[in-house]
Amino acid sequence: MSGLPPVVVVGAGGHAKVVIELIRSQGHYEVAALLDADATPRRVLGVEVVGDDDALPRLRSDGIANAFIALGGNALRLKVAGRARSLGFQLVNAISPSAAVSPTARLGAGVAVMAGAVINAEARVDDLAIVNTNASIDHDCVLGEACHVAPGCALAGGVTVGRLAFLGIGTVAIPGVRIGEGAELGAGACVVKDIPAGVRALGVPARTVETRNNAR
Ligand code: JB2
């Protein structure tokens, strides 16, 4: 027992591994348990998988008040977060000590910011967003709820990313462009004009290849 307040991490896959190490590196919480749809008893990075999401009420009544939803799928993360919040869990943040987050940036709850990420002045990062490894978010950007900015993305100043949007690895976006809710950008896309909600776009410059309605 570390004496730190316990947190349950929901998910036990690749994203959860990264999140467990972020939470440990922050030193504010002890990762006490994992929940996964595959409830097979096992340990991940030394933390026990104690059940699936149906174990949330038990953990809450056992006194665990903090949760982190470590599921990479945006829509799934949002859904499971709603369930955890309705049971009274507080969503904590997992922020790498080697991320550079401006003191004037505003971060919501349940946010992950990985190593090497940069979030500059007066950017806003809403609840459940993922700012992945080495992503760069310049001043005045707005990242919507439960979006995912994958490793190595570079967003110039004033870019807006809609809720549930997914920016694949290495996406770049020029100043002020708006990426719509649930849009998906393929790896290496270069966004030079607004991307409508719900579309999949690829390439340099990014062009719509598919109109999608189901957010990832
Ligand atoms: O509803 C669920 C649920 N559905 C799937 N609740 C809970 N608690 N767990 C769920 N899962 C579990 O999520 C699966 O059983 C599996 O263990 C885990 C997904 O693992 P995977 O490694 O496939 O993906 P991930 O979401 O952890 O990570 C993805 O997103 C990250 C941001 C991957 O694409 C990573 O490469 C990426 N870095």
Side-chain angles (χ1 to χ4, degrees):
M1 293 290 285
S2 62
L4 295 171
V7 60
V8 56
V9 168
V10 181
H15 189 46
K17 286 184 184 176
V18 177
V19 163
I20 290 166
E21 293 194 334
L22 290 179
I23 291 173
R24 285 175 174 161
S25 65
Q26 285 176 290
H28 302 320
Y29 299 98
E30 177 179 6
V31 182
L34 304 178
L35 299 179
D36 196 87
D38 172 4
T40 309
R42 63 194 184 283
R43 284 181 178 270
V44 175
L45 299 183
V47 187
E48 200 174 347
V49 177
V50 299
D52 61 19
D53 298 348
D54 291 338
L56 279 166
R58 174 170 58 79
L59 294 181
R60 186 68 196 90
S61 57
D62 285 349
I64 299 184
N66 304 298
F68 191 94
I69 313 303
L71 298 167
N74 290 343
L76 179 62
R77 189 166 65 261
L78 184 62
K79 184 178 92 169
V80 176
R83 186 172 180 191
R85 278 178 152 154
S86 73
L87 292 164
F89 284 96
Q90 299 291 324
L91 301 184
V92 303
N93 287 342
I95 313 287
S96 171
S98 58
V101 180
S102 161
T104 61
R106 285 174 291 155
L107 269 52
V111 167
V113 181
M114 277 59 168
V118 177
I119 302 176
N120 277 342
E122 297 198 328
R124 193 183 94 205
V125 179
D126 289 347
D127 293 357
L128 299 163
I130 300 171
V131 181
N132 221 316
T133 310
N134 281 335
S136 154
I137 312 298
D138 207 353
H139 64 90
D140 299 305
C141 284
V142 176
L143 305 189
E145 181 183 40
C147 72
H148 177 183
V149 180
C153 289
L155 308 188
V159 170
T160 299
V161 176
R163 63 194 291 276
L164 295 163
F166 173 73
L167 276 55
I169 191 163
T171 297
V172 302
I174 68 167
V177 291
R178 302 176 72 84
I179 296 166
E181 175 171 337
E184 182 173 320
L185 274 300
C190 179
V191 182
V192 298
K193 62 178 189 179
D194 291 358
I195 301 289
V199 307
R200 184 159 194 270
L202 296 174
V204 182
R207 295 186 198 286
T208 298
V209 292
E210 187 185 341
T211 300
R212 308 160 63 246
N213 293 313
N214 52 328
R216 179 185 154 93

